[in-house]
Amino acid sequence: QRAAVRVHAAAKINDKIKLDEPKVVDTVQAKDISKQGVFCRCWKSDTFPLCNGAHVKHNKEVGDNVGPLIIKE
Ligand code: FES
């Protein structure tokens, strides 16, 4: 059984996405979700809001366990 690890959260989650905007908001039409069904939740993707697999590198580097939201029909 894995022990829970407490890590001090960084002050900011987002260190790369639309930093010049006061808030990151993305809109996806419901009809397009089946075509764009893997959404980033780690904030490291170069294709944000879509996952590009960058969470794998992030998880290895910092011992995190984040991954995408996958929408299935
Ligand atoms: Fe962020 Fe996959 S790149 S969850």
Side-chain angles (χ1 to χ4, degrees):
Q1 182 178 356
R2 259 177 82 179
V5 177
R6 284 188 178 261
V7 178
H8 282 282
K12 290 180 66 173
I13 293 171
N14 178 18
D15 63 0
K16 66 186 292 182
I17 312 293
K18 301 178 184 177
L19 295 179
D20 56 335
E21 297 182 18
K23 185 189 316 182
V24 179
V25 177
D26 297 291
T27 302
V28 177
Q29 297 294 320
K31 65 180 175 55
D32 295 331
I33 285 179
S34 64
K35 287 180 271 178
Q36 301 181 355
V38 183
F39 292 89
C40 177
R41 296 190 297 179
C42 75
W43 293 82
K44 306 299 179 196
S45 175
D46 289 332
T47 58
F48 195 89
L50 303 178
C51 171
N52 73 348
H55 59 270
V56 175
K57 180 174 179 259
H58 165 77
N59 286 345
K60 280 186 184 168
E61 287 177 351
V62 304
D64 214 340
N65 66 345
V66 295
L69 168 67
I70 301 173
I71 306 291
K72 290 184 168 183
E73 289 187 275

